Amino acid sequence: MAKNTLSFVCQNCGAAYNRWQGKCESCGEWNTLAEEDTTGSVPVSIRSKRKGRTFALESLSGKTQDAPRLSSGMTELDRVTGGGFVRGSVLLVGGDPGIGKSTLLTQATSLMARAGHRIVYISGEEAIAQVRLRAERLGLSDAPVQLAAETSVEDIVSTLSEGAVPRLIVIDSIQTMWTDTVESAPGTVTQVRASAQALIRFAKKTGAAIILVGHVTKDGQIAGPRVVEHMVDAVMSFEGEGSQQFRILRAVKNRFGPTDEIGVFEMTGLGLREVTNPSELFLSERDLGTPGTAVFAGIEGTRPVLVELQALVAPTSLGTPRRAVVGWDQSRLSMVLAVLEAHCGVKLSGHDVYLNVAGGLRIHEPAADMAAAAALVSSLVNAQLPTDAVYFGEISLSGVIRPVAQTPARLKEAAKLGFKRAVLPESARGGDAGGDAGLSLNAINSLTTLVAEIAARGSRRGEQNPPVEKNATPARFRRGEG
């Protein structure tokens, strides 16, 4: 008889310890270690010694066939997955509670079932009646999706092995699954890892695609051991603010497709609606004529996206001014503020700075530096930026505007939405990018030139601002003059 082995496993990262301690040394979290019995974590048949079998070795020059894909019927979802679901692949979808994960998968599975595929939806959190109510609200109750409310992995695998192999299986969620091979409670790190391993083994053996729904922590990371993200083929994050109707599906990991594509959805009373032109949606509620707003021409994957950056610079009475940013990197904002003060003389040490990306989109590329700087200076001097202009360019630590990739695609998207001019790096002016788009290009070589142009526009709004020399840093921004 096997001897009982107890260990203390961190419920946040999965690290195991021989004794209990308050802080996990692996992830730094407090009070996350729980006692678990790891005796039955591995089946007896696997633990027993056996002679290994030989297998054939292949060469790199062999002929490889493209993996067949199964379209979900939703263009935005197929864009993120790389064209559809690959046979035998396992996807992990995470997101905040109530963001719309179950709604998205219900719509996708219903469309695929109507196309004649066998689709199975297994819910471990909701009863069958609750899933039917959601499908009825979405107008999908007639779709031939097979439902079940089960949490035992062995029962699920045994049921799915009978009859024709399903093309797609949805497990909602993996934190509710449990297996007999381990004796831990459902939701623990050991159970999540073992349950995921059993389902992945079934997918690779039968060729069925499986989607695992995962919970997220307060930091937005998928709960459970990090090893599960390495075991699956793709990890997708469903993002969005609960107060806004926009939802963004982003691939964090994808073995069969790109990781820089996004899918944009709009939450409506009838479910999620695909947004084929996200730029028009993000700019639909622009407040024209307001200082501190700039339109950024960005790239998400292969698709150009135009979004509005909103900045507010206000005097502060605190000893340490606040720096708040939503939708952009906090360290990137700090770098832009440092460059503005060091090379352009823009004094922001006595002001609170707030920066927001309108629409709930999160920007990751450094090309948004120029748009953020333009919005910040515009708010500081109370100068209105041109409403028909877009901004993009990377700011170096020396204050030079560096070029960015895919300039023609950015300009073409701006021209399609009615913009007339673009402020871009000077090195990107060469070529016929601007001529094809029909935009008036304003090439900027350094951040000082951009600051001078915006400040000159603000000085004409009132007499409180001093005159500004052409292509020079305004006197009020020079160091040592306040």
Side-chain angles (χ1 to χ4, degrees):
M1 184 175 180
K3 181 180 179 181
N4 291 337
T5 304
L6 297 178
S7 64
F8 297 89
V9 181
C10 176
Q11 304 302 305
N12 185 55
C13 65
Y17 301 90
N18 294 328
R19 59 183 179 84
W20 185 90
Q21 56 190 37
K23 181 180 180 180
C24 175
E25 297 177 356
S26 178
C27 63
E29 294 293 331
W30 288 86
N31 299 325
T32 57
L33 269 64
E35 182 179 348
E36 294 185 8
D37 188 357
T38 59
T39 301
S41 59
V42 181
V44 178
S45 59
I46 299 179
R47 294 200 308 267
S48 61
K49 295 182 179 180
R50 64 178 180 85
K51 184 178 180 181
R53 62 178 179 85
T54 60
F55 53 88
L57 300 176
E58 302 286 344
S59 63
L60 292 176
S61 60
K63 184 178 180 181
T64 304
Q65 297 180 354
D66 295 335
R69 293 182 180 270
L70 176 64
S71 176
S72 64
M74 304 180 71
T75 306
E76 295 298 309
L77 180 57
D78 290 340
R79 178 192 299 273
V80 179
T81 57
F85 303 112
V86 179
R87 291 180 56 90
S89 62
V90 180
L91 291 80
L92 179 62
V93 180
D96 295 332
I99 203 67
K101 301 185 297 296
S102 300
T103 301
L104 174 65
L105 296 178
T106 301
Q107 293 182 226
T109 53
S110 299
L111 293 175
M112 297 169 66
R114 287 176 177 175
H117 304 289
R118 185 191 177 192
I119 309 298
V120 178
Y121 191 104
I122 298 178
S123 176
E125 300 178 349
E126 299 177 301
I128 296 180
Q130 294 174 309
V131 180
R132 288 174 176 171
L133 285 176
R134 182 170 60 248
E136 183 179 357
R137 175 176 58 85
L138 300 176
L140 304 172
S141 56
D142 59 336
V145 178
Q146 298 178 343
L147 302 177
E150 186 58 52
T151 57
S152 174
V153 174
E154 284 75 17
D155 295 345
I156 293 174
V157 172
S158 177
T159 302
L160 297 178
S161 300
E162 298 180 356
V165 178
R167 293 300 305 272
L168 180 67
I169 304 169
V170 176
I171 305 295
D172 189 6
S173 64
I174 186 61
Q175 275 78 15
T176 61
M177 298 293 120
W178 62 277
T179 174
D180 294 334
T181 58
V182 295
E183 298 181 2
S184 302
T188 59
V189 170
T190 305
Q191 277 287 2
V192 171
R193 182 172 56 242
S195 300
Q197 184 179 12
L199 293 172
I200 292 173
R201 191 184 307 115
F202 173 79
K204 304 302 180 182
K205 180 180 178 180
T206 61
I210 297 180
I211 298 179
L212 305 177
V213 179
H215 296 168
V216 296
T217 62
K218 60 182 180 181
D219 298 329
Q221 303 294 329
I222 297 180
R226 300 287 296 183
V227 68
V228 175
E229 299 185 24
H230 297 281
M231 294 164 58
V232 299
D233 299 304
V235 179
M236 293 184 291
S237 175
F238 204 40
E239 306 170 356
E241 298 292 336
S243 59
Q244 297 179 349
Q245 69 271 29
F246 310 125
R247 301 290 186 269
I248 298 174
L249 182 65
R250 189 186 304 273
V252 181
K253 168 191 174 182
N254 194 352
R255 291 174 179 167
F256 307 108
T259 58
D260 53 0
E261 294 284 359
I262 64 170
V264 184
F265 301 88
E266 181 182 6
M267 179 63 75
T268 64
L270 298 178
L272 292 169
R273 182 181 67 86
E274 298 182 70
V275 179
T276 57
N277 190 356
S279 301
E280 186 175 358
L281 182 62
F282 289 139
L283 299 177
S284 59
E285 298 180 359
R286 283 185 64 198
D287 190 5
L288 301 177
T290 302
T293 59
V295 178
F296 165 60
I299 294 290
E300 290 290 344
T302 59
R303 179 169 55 184
V305 176
L306 269 62
V307 66
E308 183 183 41
L309 297 184
Q310 302 171 349
L312 175 61
V313 180
T316 181
S317 59
L318 302 176
T320 302
R322 295 197 59 186
R323 302 288 187 261
V325 57
V326 177
W328 203 37
D329 189 9
Q330 178 76 36
S331 59
R332 202 76 191 177
L333 174 62
S334 301
M335 188 206 72
V336 172
L337 295 178
V339 174
L340 284 172
E341 184 161 354
H343 297 285
C344 304
V346 180
K347 296 298 183 180
L348 295 171
S349 57
H351 295 77
D352 291 333
V353 175
Y354 303 90
L355 186 69
N356 176 49
V357 180
L361 181 66
R362 182 164 187 83
I363 300 176
H364 297 278
E365 59 173 336
D369 291 349
M370 186 188 292
L376 291 170
V377 178
S378 171
S379 176
L380 178 63
V381 301
N382 195 27
Q384 175 187 347
L385 296 177
T387 58
D388 59 348
V390 296
Y391 299 80
F392 60 90
E394 181 183 355
I395 298 177
S396 64
L397 293 179
S398 61
V400 177
I401 306 299
R402 297 174 54 86
V404 295
Q406 303 188 38
T407 297
R410 302 173 196 264
L411 298 177
K412 186 177 297 183
E413 179 72 10
K416 184 174 67 174
L417 294 180
F419 290 88
K420 303 299 182 183
R421 66 184 81 176
V423 182
L424 71 167
E426 186 177 14
S427 56
R429 189 169 185 172
D432 57 351
D436 293 342
L439 296 179
S440 175
L441 304 184
N442 181 14
I444 299 296
N445 185 35
S446 64
L447 186 59
T448 304
T449 304
L450 178 65
V451 172
E453 292 181 358
I454 298 176
R457 181 182 298 272
S459 64
R460 292 192 293 267
R461 293 171 56 90
E463 300 179 356
Q464 70 276 15
N465 295 330
V468 180
E469 299 178 7
K470 186 177 180 180
N471 294 335
T473 304
R476 63 176 296 194
F477 290 156
R478 294 172 185 163
R479 284 173 287 184
E481 299 185 18

